[in-house]
Amino acid sequence: MWKVCHVTCSHRWSIVRTYSSDIRSLPLTTLLGPFFSIIRSPLSTGPITSAALSALHSFFQCNLIHPEAISLGACLSELSSTVSRCKFEASDSSGDEVTLLKIMTVIQDCMCNEVGDNLGDIEVCEMLETVLTTCCQMRLSGGLSRHLPTVGHRVLTYNITRKEILRRSAEATMHALVKTAFVRLFALDPAEEEQKLADNESSSQDLEGKM
């Protein structure tokens, strides 16, 4: 598996070197592909996945991912699918929670950034579901932990505190995403959106008829 990833990444980076004079002329799918591969790989550990997510966050911060970028739509679709299905080998608990926090950060970068206008309904729903799932899992985990005996168990208290931080961070991210989604409702054309819904419904009916 790692040999395949290495060959793929080497090929992509050879393309990057070819365009090194103007990196913005590269399609985003080519530039970010190696990072997506690492995040998607179930063989990646938490720290490796965390490093790849940090790189994506940096690309948003330095405006490498911008509205006029080449193949932006395909890149955002792949990014949404990648972070929503991110799986990594568990290592130490604290490192894994840092990785989850970075997933929340990248999702917020993607939706709340100006490029978020290019996201489709499926991508938005995937990312909202990812953040909401994290909120619910952390809330249940924290609730169960509080019923365990804590007298003299500082490690347990420390774990509860870290999970509480992660839960609150996920909730804050969820609030920001929902706020962004509702703000953008004002920019939608009702007639155009109704037509999209009608077209989607018609396509679904045609597909069911063929089946």
Side-chain angles (χ1 to χ4, degrees), residues 124-193:
V124 172
C125 288
E126 281 180 338
M127 290 190 283
L128 285 173
E129 182 180 0
T130 299
V131 179
L132 182 59
T133 300
T134 303
C135 290
C136 295
Q137 287 179 344
M138 290 300 102
R139 181 176 291 275
L140 289 174
S141 176
L144 291 173
S145 298
R146 288 187 180 88
H147 287 86
L148 296 175
T150 58
V151 178
H153 294 277
R154 294 183 180 180
V155 175
L156 180 60
T157 305
Y158 175 64
N159 288 336
I160 293 174
T161 302
R162 285 192 289 106
K163 289 183 178 181
E164 184 71 12
I165 292 173
L166 177 58
R167 181 183 67 80
R168 292 186 180 183
S169 297
E171 288 179 352
T173 301
M174 191 68 188
H175 292 161
L177 300 186
V178 171
K179 181 180 178 180
T180 299
F182 274 91
V183 167
R184 286 181 178 155
L185 286 177
F186 295 100
L188 298 178
D189 182 0
E192 182 179 347
E193 296 304 317

Side-chain angles (χ1 to χ4, degrees), residues 60 65-67 72 76 109-110 113-119 184:
F60 276 106
I65 304 174
H66 58 94
L72 175 64
L76 292 178
D109 287 337
C110 187
N113 189 285
E114 55 185 349
V115 300
D117 292 336
N118 297 276
L119 289 167
R184 286 181 178 155

Side-chain angles (χ1 to χ4, degrees), residues 49-61:
T49 303
S50 180
L53 290 165
S54 294
L56 293 181
H57 174 63
S58 297
F59 291 149
F60 276 106
Q61 294 299 305

Side-chain angles (χ1 to χ4, degrees), residues 8-133:
T8 303
C9 292
S10 298
H11 173 66
R12 290 179 183 271
W13 285 119
S14 66
I15 298 175
V16 171
R17 286 194 294 271
T18 303
Y19 289 86
S20 59
S21 59
D22 184 9
I23 197 170
R24 289 179 181 271
S25 65
L26 273 171
L28 284 180
T29 49
T30 300
L31 184 62
L32 304 184
F35 300 97
F36 293 154
S37 297
I38 290 172
I39 295 170
R40 281 195 302 263
S41 174
L43 299 179
S44 298
T45 60
I48 294 175
T49 303
S50 180
L53 290 165
S54 294
L56 293 181
H57 174 63
S58 297
F59 291 149
F60 276 106
Q61 294 299 305
C62 68
N63 204 33
L64 187 63
I65 304 174
H66 58 94
E68 286 75 34
I70 302 172
S71 69
L72 175 64
C75 175
L76 292 178
S77 178
E78 188 174 358
L79 187 152
S80 169
S81 175
T82 297
V83 297
S84 299
R85 295 169 176 79
C86 175
K87 295 180 180 180
F88 53 89
E89 288 187 351
S91 52
D92 63 294
S93 179
S94 59
D96 294 343
E97 287 165 4
V98 169
T99 304
L100 290 174
L101 281 173
K102 290 187 177 181
I103 291 175
M104 301 297 107
T105 300
V106 171
I107 289 176
Q108 186 168 352
D109 287 337
C110 187
M111 280 193 64
C112 299
N113 189 285
E114 55 185 349
V115 300
D117 292 336
N118 297 276
L119 289 167
D121 294 341
I122 294 176
E123 289 76 23
V124 172
C125 288
E126 281 180 338
M127 290 190 283
L128 285 173
E129 182 180 0
T130 299
V131 179
L132 182 59
T133 300

